[in-house]
């Protein structure tokens, strides 16, 4: 590695030693536990060293500094790179003990990076390609915040380190196309271009021209020797000057230093043996004991880690000097707290709904609520994957975000559900905005991997998912959710809210906004639903996940109907028939099973009334309802896919009319009597 | 539209009238039902007319002719285009009555095209981008079959009509990159390039250079006036001559003929009013009554539909002249029947496993079975999304498929899970091969939309999904499935098979291969499992979905442990502890809940033994097990995400050791007694 001594404040050989500190720590950690991915940390150590010592603006003492540069390791399997950097740069929370217990339960040095600002991990990564898309979200946030608060307070870059795997995933194209379209010039992607994937050379599976590909969607492209610090630093400088997103293909040798394995797929994920580790250390000229970093090298790293401190101080001074309104707004937007008054906006909608009693799709009621929230929550922002007029996800009174208008509040994500959700995760992670995104519930499948990451990272992302059942009708089974209900409900840490009418929509929006540390899926109808709730209550009846909607009108209830969303109206219809036939029947609305499950047993029993015949009604998979109806209950739903047809035809065909439900129940009661 | 009269056998004006027949039928059908998407059929009618009258090789009288050209309408919302073509070309099963009941329940003219060869629908489409990827699978099948059976029997093109939406989806890039890499020169994509999506002009969300994008991944590109028949036909000719996959951007006006709406997003999915329909008919010079096609135009279409008959006859003659072995093999590969002897291969593995009693990961046992199946089932083919050495999905004795070796049997799909699954669907739809594909169970999320289509289209696609629980360990929660179990089980028409050890792996492979008309997910461990089954049985004990694995060793069982996969060993460990402590305990293995659910009640009761304390043990979401353990049972599993750690640490941490399970059960029994 022949780097000019004039390089930065550190000589080429010195930088090489610093990079080798990353390599040695990575080899030691992976060798000790005998699991992990040495390929990337050893290959990309030089890239990371140049970035972290010469370019990245960060302050390990204040890892949540709002105006720090963001760095996302999209190729998350190379996690040891991040942990080594964290320790070397002086993030106090990343200790040598964590590195020594790499991949063990409880170690901060987890198998793949798990969101933790204290150790410099900006996003949970590992599922490939998503890190790049989250970086796009962060870079977009920077532009949008900057347009609101100015360059004094918001002026940073977002970097992502991606591998061949990231760039083969479809989401990487979606995210790149969006970034190019929006001209996100503060986004700089470093491509660890080693030509190797797990199966072997990437030529086994791809022969794409990456330069042409990125240029096709409006990116600035460079290719450099990924082991040449000066060339890398120059490229990053050029990337910063570019007026568009920039990618630097850094040609590296995967697993550099591993005998026989370097440059081959064996280096990707095979832990080195003792002999290989020893040989690698020899190649790095690294005679020190395992996990030991020479004092002078550690000092260089720590000094480098302190680089950003002065920047940070100057930024704090600028924040202090900002006018009070700006400073207060900036700080409020960075916090998880919502501005005062947002509940009033919800309440006003609820009151209006209780007076007007609209028969309308819940997506329409949701748009009304969102439009009321737009002035109340000025950092509420989001968009749809090209289904704006269908999702009704664009509130009134806002303009689209574009490369000429980052002050806009509505994002046209394009027909890119997966990138949409991951970009939205990036916006949430960046902090500054409360983001939502929208598509059809059925196409939550297209963004499922990113929804999962929202939940795993405990990010408050609002998913507006409309056209929620077969009542979407004529589009047919490709557009009709079935298993999506249980899929999202079984996703840990996600709230699945399905309101029954306009009033419940307002209440569910309140629950969604109250929520901290978890994503919310708001499940809405395409078709009009009647106003089933009557009268205005200050209480949010949805707050405990379920409530008795209508008691048996006389005597002890014999039947309890459990329903959600548009099926609450079906349940009420069935109740009318049953009561007419002398069967006292109560109806329970269950807008959120996850919240309900967290209630105490007495409440749950009072709602479920186990001494009655319990019947669930939901126009989706029957899976999961056994828990609520018990072994003697009845589950009314779909046992297969939907079908194309008009909504009424389908509800009839699938036995989801009040009449059909009542008949099933009367038959069941007759059997029980018999 | 000024086309030279020398065009084909039909004059330009005549072709224009034929295209207008598609338009008029589409307007009439969508106008009548007042739902549907006129934009594409009206815009792309000329493209389709040129293709179907001048190029596409097909025979409506024999719609399943093996060597027909394939045509996939990837932009499935334009379904009326297909139905109009079906009727006009003379597919008997597509009647005018179906078109008149477009989008109604029971009509063959469903909202989006649903696989039905009898009406010329080669694939279910609508979820965008997947049609293109399925077409890639079909084109790949053609090359692979041709390399085996020669051009006499296999010599056709695959066409896909895609919209802007398809091309924004990530899967389209994945599929295009794979097609370019493999040089699939028989693939011709017609891009309905109308510059409009639902939200408005595509410029709202994209500014990608499509030509550069496709050329970057090795495609041949042309752009033509999509309303100029001669230019279109010439372009298709040039595409046929190209030595690589080809895309023709056909510049069209969306909703051509609709007053005010043509060329705008309003044309995409809004049904025309009576006035608009009347104005459009005027523009088409179409005075005939609704749903009426002038006799001469219909005659031209029907004649065009008969074009392929002679080709078909010649092909049948070539098939008849082929040598007996070739003909028999070709016909056998086209059928759903497996060759004789395949069960012997399974049985031999089972015998070997019962003798050797290997302690090994079930993914390893699966590789052993697959290797035995390779000679037994010569059309078994598939691959992995770059996880070959992890999935162990490459059987012994086969070579990779490449542009130089279509005779190979292993496909390196690249890190493109979504395209992998959709391409595999395309291979299944094409017929000729029995396809499998592989990734980690956790990343089934990345291909979930295509898995859903496998199930909806009733295609026998084998999904090999490994690293099935937290026992995959140190990779952490991003790589550990939780909700995936219930997601796949709740997907209609999918079999989820999770074998407990090597012998069950062999049995589950037998079930997977026996299966018709549904996809199968084979769920396999990363870690070694002990050989829990003892002895060789000719019976497949997994056949009814569940079986008593170990009875209580003395007296009536008080406890029934229900377990799947690697947790059967945990259950056996817990049983040993419980029985030692005087609690008679039986263990049930439940490799397939979906099959078990289909058994008669007596069998189900005999297995579940409702008079015992039922306890399920599965290292995944607890959701869904209430159905099997009943209200008084115990569900042992995960209530949140996994974590990074060593497998043993995690099983301990999450209470999934025999000791922890036994303790929970003893506590429960004590409570019950108290």
């Amino acid at each position: 590695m022949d780097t000019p001594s004039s390089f930065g404040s550190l000589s080429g050989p010195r930088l090489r030693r610093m990079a080798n500190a990353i390599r040695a720590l990575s080899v030691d950690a992976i060798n000790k536990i005998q699991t992990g991915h040495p390929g990337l940390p050893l290959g990309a150590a030089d890239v990371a060293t140049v970035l972290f010592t010469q370019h990245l603006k960060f302050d390990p003492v204040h890892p949540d500094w709002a105006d720090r540069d963001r760095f996302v390791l999209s190729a998350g399997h190379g996690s040891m790179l991040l942990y080594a950097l964290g320790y070397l740069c002086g993030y106090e929370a990343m200790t040598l003990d964590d590195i020594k217990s790499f991949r063990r339960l409880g170690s901060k040095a987890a198998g793949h990076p798990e969101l933790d600002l204290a150790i410099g991990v900006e996003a949970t990564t590992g599922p490939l390609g998503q890190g790049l898309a989250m970086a796009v979200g962060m870079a977009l946030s920077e532009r949008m915040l900057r347009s609101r608060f100015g360059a004094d307070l918001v002026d940073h870059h977002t970097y992502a380190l991606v591998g061949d795997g990231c760039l083969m995933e479809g989401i990487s194209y979606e995210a790149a196309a969006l970034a190019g379209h929006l001209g996100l010039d503060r986004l700089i992607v470093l491509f660890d271009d080693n030509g190797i994937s797990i199966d072997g050379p990437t030529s086994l599976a791809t022969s794409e021209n990456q330069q042409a590909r990125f240029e096709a969607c409006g990116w600035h492209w460079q290719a450099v020797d990924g082991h040449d610090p000066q060339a890398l630093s120059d490229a990053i400088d050029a990337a910063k000057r570019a007026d568009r997103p920039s990618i630097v293909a850094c040609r590296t040798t995967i697993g550099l230093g591993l005998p026989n394995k370097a440059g081959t797929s064996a280096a990707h994920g095979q832990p080195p043996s003792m002999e290989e580790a020893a040989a690698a250390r020899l190649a790095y000229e690294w005679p020190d004991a395992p996990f030991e970093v020479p004092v002078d090298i550690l000092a260089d790293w720590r000094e480098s880690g302190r680089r950003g401190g002065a920047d940070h101080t100057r930024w704090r001074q600028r924040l202090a000097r900002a006018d009070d309104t700006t400073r207060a707004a900036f700080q409020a937007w960075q916090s998880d707290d919502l501005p005062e008054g947002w509940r009033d906006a919800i309440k006003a909608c609820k009151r209006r709904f209780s007076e007007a009693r609209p028969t309308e799709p819940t997506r329409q009621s949701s748009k009304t609520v969102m439009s009321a929230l737009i002035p109340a929550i000025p950092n509420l922002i989001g968009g749809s994957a090209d289904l704006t007029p269908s999702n009704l996800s664009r509130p009134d009174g806002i303009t689209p975000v574009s490369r000429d208008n980052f002050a806009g509040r509505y994002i046209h994500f394009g027909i890119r559900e997966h990138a949409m959700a991951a970009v939205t995760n990036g916006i949430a992670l960046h902090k500054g905005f409360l983001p939502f995104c929208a598509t059809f519930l059925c196409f939550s499948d297209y963004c499922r991997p990113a929804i999962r990451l929202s939940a795993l990272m405990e990010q408050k992302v609002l998913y507006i998912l409309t056209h929620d059942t077969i009542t979407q009708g004529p589009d047919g089974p490709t557009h009709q959710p079935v298993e999506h209900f249980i899929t999202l409900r079984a996703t840990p840490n996600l709230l699945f809210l399905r309101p029954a009418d306009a009033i419940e929509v307002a209440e569910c929006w309140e629950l969604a906004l109250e929520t901290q540390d978890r994503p919310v899926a708001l499940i809405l109808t395409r078709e009009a639903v009647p106003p089933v709730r009557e009268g205005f209550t200050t209480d949010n009846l949805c707050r405990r996940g379920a409530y008795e909607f209508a008691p048996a009108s006389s005597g002890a209830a014999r039947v309890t109907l459990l329903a959600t969303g548009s099926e609450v109206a079906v349940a009420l219809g069935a109740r009318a028939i049953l009561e007419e036939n002398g069967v006292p029947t109560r109806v329970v609305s269950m807008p959120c099973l996850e919240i309900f499950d967290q209630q105490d047993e007495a409440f749950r029993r009072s709602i479920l009334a186990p001494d009655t015949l319990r019947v669930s009604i939901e126009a989706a998979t029957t899976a999961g309802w056994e828990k609520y109806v018990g072994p003697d209950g009845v589950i009314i739903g779909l046992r297969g896919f939907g079908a194309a047809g008009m909504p009424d035809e389908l509800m009839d065909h699938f036995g989801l009319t009040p009449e059909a439900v009542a008949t099933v129940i009367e038959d069941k009661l007759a059997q029980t009597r018999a």
Side-chain angles (χ1 to χ4, degrees), chain A residues 328-339 379 431-434 516:
Chain A
F330 184 84
Q331 286 170 335
W333 288 33
Q334 293 290 320
S335 84
D336 293 332
D337 302 331
L338 294 176
N379 66 336
K431 291 203 176 287
F433 295 99
L434 172 57
Q516 298 291 2

Side-chain angles (χ1 to χ4, degrees), chain A residues 135-150 154 177-187 243-245 333 378-382 398-413 423 427 432-433:
Chain A
V136 170
M138 294 174 185
L140 174 57
S141 286
E142 196 268 352
R143 300 311 321 192
M144 297 193 299
L145 278 178
R146 184 180 164 115
S147 78
R148 285 152 172 89
F149 293 101
V154 186
L178 185 62
H181 177 67
L182 292 171
L184 301 179
D185 60 340
R186 290 309 186 89
L187 176 64
D243 62 353
R244 52 199 191 281
W333 288 33
N379 66 336
L380 182 66
I381 208 162
I398 60 173
T399 58
V401 173
S402 72
R403 63 161 67 211
D404 304 315
N405 180 33
F406 284 108
R409 290 176 69 178
Y410 194 74
I411 304 169
H412 289 288
F413 284 106
V423 165
I427 295 173
F433 295 99

Side-chain angles (χ1 to χ4, degrees), chain A residues 52 58 63 71-72 82 86 91 93-94 115-123:
Chain A
F52 274 68
F58 68 112
F71 173 73
V72 178
L82 262 186
Y91 286 84
M94 178 49 71
L115 172 63
D116 184 355
L117 291 191
I119 58 168
V121 175
E122 298 274 358

Side-chain angles (χ1 to χ4, degrees), chain A residues 411-452:
Chain A
I411 304 169
H412 289 288
F413 284 106
I415 301 134
R416 307 178 180 114
E417 296 84 4
H418 197 182
M420 171 179 73
V423 165
T424 307
N425 280 338
I427 295 173
L429 288 165
H430 184 276
K431 291 203 176 287
F433 295 99
L434 172 57
F436 66 85
C437 63
T439 184
F440 289 158
L441 174 53
C442 207
F443 299 140
S444 64
D445 278 352
Y446 271 69
C447 44
R448 163 111 213 105
I451 295 177
R452 189 170 207 257

